[in-house]
């Protein structure tokens, strides 16, 4: 089997790694940045494990404002950013580059609002698919699009991949069940 060739990293960005890590800590706080080798290795691949690349750094913001600030910073300094949910993508979607920051949303996992009358839930993007169903189960509800990775995969990944499962034959895939998103562009807007 021949693997796809991955791009060579930008040496200027690689050389600036220590400063980039310090800047990310300045933006999101120390607890949100993973820069040591063992920690970064966790994020070197997704479920397509044939490909691996150690990311420059990993940042796990806890708010939309921090996501925007990281993207604004990365844009200003010409640094690539790879968004990541749970890394269950089977097609390398969350595969990092060596000169890229991985921006993971796993700490943004709260349920913000439940409106049973209108069959509506507002959640943060890093919540796992199954956690949405768990949050409304007591009232006899469930979140319909159900990829078989639902214990681990996040709504962020579901949105990016338009995921679905067995329930989708009746209820539609992710796009048929999402009313709106608050999103940050790669420019940080
Ligand atoms: C065992 C197993 C079973 C699976 N079963 C199914 C199934 O039944 N149906 C199905 O559809 N899929 C299935 N999948 C594939 C995978 O689980 C889905 O694609 C899932 O939606 C990915 O979610 P994730 O949180 O893991 O996303 P990730 O793998 O982390 O990311 C997926 C893509 O989304 C992008 N992304 C992530 N977060 C963001 C964000 N905040 N903003 C912008 N882009 C973002 C990433 O860059 C990447 O390109 C399965 C995978 C596994 C390993």
């Amino acid at each position: 089997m021949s693997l796809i060739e991955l791009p060579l990293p930008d040496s200027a960005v690689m050389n600036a790694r220590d400063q980039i890590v310090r800047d990310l800590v300045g933006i999101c706080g120390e607890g949100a940045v993973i820069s040591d080798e063992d920690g970064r290795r966790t994020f070197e691949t997704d479920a397509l494990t044939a490909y691996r690349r150690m990311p420059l750094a990993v940042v796990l913001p806890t708010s939309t404002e921090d996501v925007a600030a990281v993207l604004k910073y990365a844009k200003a300094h010409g640094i690539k950013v790879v968004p990541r949910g749970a890394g269950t993508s089977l097609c390398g979607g969350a595969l990092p580059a060596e000169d890229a920051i991985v921006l993971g949303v796993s700490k943004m996992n709260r349920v913000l609002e439940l409106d049973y009358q209108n069959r509506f839930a507002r959640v943060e993007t890093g919540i796992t698919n199954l956690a949405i169903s768990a949050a409304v189960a007591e009232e006899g509800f469930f979140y319909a699009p159900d990829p078989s990775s639902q214990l681990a995969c996040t709504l962020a990944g579901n949105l990016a991949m338009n995921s679905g499962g067995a329930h989708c034959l009746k209820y539609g895939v992710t796009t048929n069940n999402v009313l709106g998103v608050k999103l940050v562009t790669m420019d940080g807007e």
Side-chain angles (χ1 to χ4, degrees):
M1 181 179 77
S2 73
L3 297 179
I4 298 168
E5 213 169 290
L6 297 172
L8 289 172
D10 179 336
S11 55
V13 173
M14 297 298 286
N15 292 336
R17 197 178 94 80
D18 290 348
Q19 184 59 49
I20 292 168
V21 167
R22 280 195 293 275
D23 291 343
L24 290 174
V25 168
I27 295 168
C28 293
E30 196 142 3
V33 179
I34 298 171
S35 59
D36 66 298
E37 192 178 331
D38 286 351
R40 283 184 291 143
R41 196 165 294 289
T42 311
F43 298 85
E44 69 176 357
T45 187
D46 60 10
L48 183 67
T49 53
Y51 295 92
R52 288 167 196 275
R53 281 293 180 272
M54 245 337 210
L56 195 71
V58 179
V59 61
L60 304 173
T62 52
S63 71
T64 306
E65 291 69 28
D66 280 0
V67 171
V70 170
L71 290 177
K72 211 166 256 179
Y73 169 80
K75 168 83 177 176
H77 292 83
I79 307 164
K80 301 180 186 99
V81 177
V82 178
R84 181 180 175 110
T88 67
S89 162
L90 294 162
C91 58
L95 174 73
E98 284 164 287
D99 54 356
I101 299 166
V102 168
L103 193 161
V105 291
S106 57
K107 286 188 176 175
M108 296 174 66
N109 58 6
R110 291 175 305 161
V111 174
L112 301 174
E113 182 185 351
L114 294 174
D115 179 345
Y116 291 105
Q117 208 156 11
N118 293 305
R119 296 173 176 244
F120 167 82
R122 197 160 59 86
V123 299
E124 288 186 325
T125 187
I127 192 168
T128 64
N129 177 294
L130 199 57
I132 306 172
S133 287
V136 295
E138 244 180 42
E139 298 289 331
F141 284 84
F142 61 93
Y143 176 62
D146 53 346
S148 47
S149 55
Q150 65 179 164
L151 181 65
C153 69
T154 65
L155 200 62
N158 291 179
L159 282 164
M161 310 304 265
N162 194 19
S163 296
H167 274 122
C168 295
L169 294 170
K170 185 171 179 187
Y171 296 107
V173 290
T174 301
T175 49
N176 306 113
N177 287 273
V178 174
L179 293 173
V181 292
K182 181 197 270 187
L183 67 84
V184 183
T185 65
M186 291 306 279
D187 292 347
E189 293 298 319

